[in-house]
Amino acid sequence: MKIDKNLIKELSEYLDEFKLTEIEFTDKDTKIKVSKNNVSINNQATPNVQNSSVVREDPVEQNKSTSGIQVTSPIIGTAYHAPEPGAKKFVEIGKKIKKGDTVMIVEAMKTMNHVPSTADGVVKEICVEDGQPVEFGQTIIILE
């Protein structure tokens, strides 16, 4: 079997582009899994290659307030703000919601999974863009 280095490089670039920790590609009898380690950067002997992910972080992202009730994604998939393109969004900043209300849909393997609110509150922040990939446990909205 010949290893396609370009495919591996492309998958590695997707890890950074979509802020993923792991990606898998399967085609017929070929299966390629690419993942990256999350390394704590407390040691000055750590190579600069490991520091590259920290340097690229957006300073605005670091300053965002995470106080409040965080509603997280229950699965890995693609987040959608509305039930279909052009439809009214489930939540908007400032909207009051109740526990159990759908706040977003996370699509995984062609299945649309409604994500319910875990508490009553007012939407303080929407943490993901429409159509953005999300990871398990990633905060998708914050409530006050």
Side-chain angles (χ1 to χ4, degrees), residues 17 20-21 31 38 41 45 47-48 66 81 94 101 110 126:
E17 183 178 345
L20 302 172
T21 56
K31 185 175 182 180
N38 290 334
I41 313 221
N48 285 339
T66 57
H81 292 190
D101 288 352
K110 306 293 181 202
I126 300 173

Side-chain angles (χ1 to χ4, degrees), residues 42-75:
N42 294 332
N43 183 352
Q44 291 185 2
T46 306
N48 285 339
V49 174
Q50 296 295 333
N51 290 335
S52 65
S53 64
V54 174
V55 174
R56 287 188 211 151
E57 285 184 14
D58 186 358
V60 174
E61 291 286 323
Q62 293 175 349
N63 293 333
K64 281 188 179 177
S65 172
T66 57
S67 63
I69 302 164
Q70 298 182 10
V71 178
T72 60
S73 176
I75 57 173

Side-chain angles (χ1 to χ4, degrees), residues 14-15 17-23 71-81 103-109 111 113-115 126-141:
Y14 286 153
L15 291 176
E17 183 178 345
F18 296 111
K19 297 179 183 170
L20 302 172
T21 56
E22 184 175 287
I23 191 167
V71 178
T72 60
S73 176
I75 57 173
I76 296 172
T78 304
Y80 294 105
H81 292 190
V103 295
M104 221 168 272
I105 290 178
V106 177
E107 181 263 326
M109 297 175 53
T111 302
N113 301 281
H114 289 254
V115 179
I126 300 173
C127 303
V128 296
E129 298 293 323
D130 190 41
Q132 177 183 332
V134 292
E135 301 251 350
F136 169 78
Q138 178 179 345
T139 301
I140 56 175
I141 68 166

Side-chain angles (χ1 to χ4, degrees), residues 72-125:
T72 60
S73 176
I75 57 173
I76 296 172
T78 304
Y80 294 105
H81 292 190
E84 60 186 36
K88 183 179 175 193
K89 294 180 179 182
F90 291 112
V91 295
E92 293 183 19
I93 295 175
K95 181 180 177 185
K96 276 188 168 182
I97 60 172
K98 295 182 180 179
K99 182 178 181 176
D101 288 352
T102 298
V103 295
M104 221 168 272
I105 290 178
V106 177
E107 181 263 326
M109 297 175 53
K110 306 293 181 202
T111 302
M112 301 299 178
N113 301 281
H114 289 254
V115 179
S117 174
T118 54
D120 294 347
V122 177
V123 178
K124 178 178 177 182
E125 183 179 341

